[in-house]
């Protein structure tokens, strides 16, 4: 993937590091798949002076924990496990207890929370205390795919570092380097679907979304009056897709609607914007309400079918 240290974000980070006062809280903001976690890890290693590979005792990473004790045992055994939907307040409090002690190998310590916009409300409130009175030598790096979901008081205490989409050539190179065995046609389809995100392009390939992509584009172009395409879409996704596959489905549908908005005429934009907003809302509700997979697929297909009449001759 893209070398973190060659990005504009790294230039901004290094300028802050070399300044007279380094901010204690950072938000890495941008859509999923843009390399924010890799950046956070590299920035953390830069701060603590880490050399070599492997974990560092002064870099604390908080992400989605195992769903329950059963899943925790799977994780301990090195097996695949299901994660909880949110980052918990207990994780924040455990981190805060660690911060009352001295750093292990130096004067600096870094806490990475990824994704910070998935913290439960009590976790966000607990974190705010650490941002208001940060321990000496501690830097907080919050990875946020949807920074607007963070508390305003958290955003106001952090410096925002934004990650924009990559161009198609950069994504094509990243995909070719990461998955050299893939065909040129599959790479091109993944780049087209990526919406500027190399992570999305790789997810497209890993989850074999080519057929799903074609069906979504057919629905948004020609509609689906007899539900035939939506039925085929449901079969292509499967009756029990895992959460990662569902997430890729939502990302792909959003990218297709965004493409259409960029290529259509002004009169069609309100309907497209409404469908996009409804899709974003459905994606946010899906992990909370644990919707049936077939219901989700049909809803996504219906939202895309609802804009099929908004044509301007664009080839979406």
């Amino acid at each position: 993937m893209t070398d973190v240290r060659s990005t504009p974000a790294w230039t901004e980070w290094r300028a802050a590091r070399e300044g007279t006062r380094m901010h204690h809280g950072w938000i890495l903001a941008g859509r999923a798949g843009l390399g924010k976690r890799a950046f956070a890890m590299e920035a953390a290693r830069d701060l603590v002076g880490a050399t070599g590979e492997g974990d560092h005792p002064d870099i604390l990473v908080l992400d989605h924990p195992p769903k329950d004790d059963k899943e925790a045992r799977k994780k301990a055994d090195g097996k695949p496990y299901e994660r909880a939907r949110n980052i918990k307040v207990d994780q924040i409090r455990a981190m805060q207890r660690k911060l009352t002690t001295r750093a292990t190998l130096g004067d600096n310590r870094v806490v990475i929370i990824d994704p910070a916009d998935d913290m439960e409300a009590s976790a966000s409130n607990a974190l705010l205390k650490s941002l208001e009175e940060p321990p000496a030598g501690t830097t907080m790096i919050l990875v946020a795919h949807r920074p607007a979901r963070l508390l305003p008081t958290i955003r106001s205490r952090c410096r925002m570092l934004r990650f924009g989409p990559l161009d198609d050539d950069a994504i094509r190179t990243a995909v070719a380097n990461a998955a050299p065995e893939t065909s040129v046609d599959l790479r091109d389809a993944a780049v087209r679907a990526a919406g500027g995100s190399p992570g999305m392009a790789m997810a497209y390939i890993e989850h074999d979304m080519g057929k799903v992509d074609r069906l979504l584009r057919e629905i948004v172009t020609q509609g689906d009056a007899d539900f035939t395409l939506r039925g085929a879409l449901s079969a292509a996704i499967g009756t029990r897709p895992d959460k990662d596959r569902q997430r890729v489905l939502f990302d792909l549908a959003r990218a297709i609607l965004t493409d259409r908005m960029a290529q259509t005429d002004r009169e069609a934009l309100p309907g497209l914007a409404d469908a996009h907003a409804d899709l974003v809302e459905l994606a946010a509700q899906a992990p909370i309400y644990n919707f049936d997979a077939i219901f989700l697929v049909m809803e996504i297909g219906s939202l895309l079918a609802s804009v099929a009449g908004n044509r301007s001759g664009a080839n979406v």
Side-chain angles (χ1 to χ4, degrees):
M1 303 301 280
T2 304
D3 177 15
V4 166
R5 292 179 179 249
S6 67
T7 61
W10 188 262
T11 301
E12 186 174 342
W13 168 264
R14 286 303 307 174
R17 286 273 284 126
E18 294 165 4
T20 56
R21 185 181 178 185
M22 177 70 172
H23 208 289
H24 67 275
W26 290 76
I27 295 173
L28 310 186
R31 64 170 295 183
L34 293 174
K36 299 189 298 299
R37 183 172 181 124
F39 185 100
M41 292 301 301
E42 190 69 13
R45 296 179 71 81
D46 178 53
L47 279 168
V48 302
T51 58
E53 301 295 329
D55 296 337
H56 192 283
D58 294 324
I59 300 176
L60 310 179
V61 180
L62 281 64
D63 53 17
H64 294 103
K67 179 180 177 181
D68 51 33
D69 290 343
K70 179 182 176 181
E71 299 303 316
R73 289 193 293 271
K74 290 181 183 178
K75 179 182 180 182
D77 292 338
K79 299 177 182 178
Y81 64 96
E82 186 175 354
R83 294 175 179 266
R85 292 194 299 265
N86 300 107
I87 294 172
K88 308 293 186 182
V89 65
D90 289 347
Q91 294 173 267
I92 301 296
R93 289 172 177 162
M95 172 269 292
Q96 290 170 328
R97 288 193 293 271
K98 288 184 180 180
L99 296 184
T100 62
T101 64
R102 293 178 60 86
T104 303
L105 299 181
D107 296 327
N108 295 321
R109 186 155 37 193
V110 181
V111 177
I112 298 172
I113 304 178
D114 178 24
D117 40 317
D118 276 355
M119 286 187 292
E120 59 187 16
S122 53
S124 294
N125 288 324
L127 177 66
L128 186 58
K129 297 177 182 179
S130 293
L131 288 170
E132 289 171 340
E133 300 178 7
T138 297
T139 300
M140 303 274 181
I141 301 179
L142 313 184
V143 176
H145 309 319
R146 295 154 294 181
R149 293 183 61 184
L150 296 171
L151 291 175
T153 43
I154 287 180
R155 295 199 303 268
S156 69
R157 285 165 174 78
C158 295
R159 177 168 173 176
M160 189 85 71
L161 189 56
R162 295 193 178 276
F163 289 67
L166 277 63
D167 61 39
D168 286 355
D169 288 341
I171 297 176
R172 189 172 286 106
T173 299
V175 171
N177 291 337
E181 73 286 355
T182 58
S183 68
V184 173
D185 287 346
L186 182 56
R187 289 180 201 169
D188 287 345
V191 169
R192 180 185 63 186
S197 165
M200 175 60 187
M202 289 305 303
Y204 182 101
I205 292 170
E206 291 165 4
H207 290 275
D208 192 20
M209 298 296 282
K211 184 175 182 179
V212 172
D213 183 16
R214 289 192 296 274
L215 287 166
L216 290 172
R217 291 178 187 275
E218 284 185 51
I219 292 171
V220 82
T221 301
Q222 66 190 47
D224 185 29
D226 61 2
F227 283 78
T228 299
L229 291 174
R230 274 168 280 190
L233 179 63
S234 180
I237 285 293
T239 56
R240 299 188 67 182
D242 61 29
K243 291 181 179 179
D244 285 343
R245 189 166 172 81
Q246 286 187 25
R247 176 183 56 78
V248 177
L249 172 63
F250 275 113
D251 287 345
L252 184 54
R254 284 198 295 263
I256 288 170
L257 281 178
T258 300
D259 275 353
R260 194 167 181 83
M261 283 191 283
Q263 298 178 45
T264 195
D265 52 37
R266 183 174 299 177
E267 289 76 12
L269 285 177
L272 287 162
D274 287 346
H276 189 278
D278 289 343
L279 188 61
V280 170
E281 183 178 0
L282 182 62
Q285 292 174 344
I288 298 172
Y289 296 108
N290 197 26
F291 293 129
D292 177 78
I294 295 176
F295 167 81
L296 284 176
V297 171
M298 289 298 178
E299 286 294 299
I300 292 169
S302 295
L303 285 171
L304 267 62
S306 72
V307 301
N310 297 334
R311 299 180 181 178
S312 64
N315 182 20
V316 179

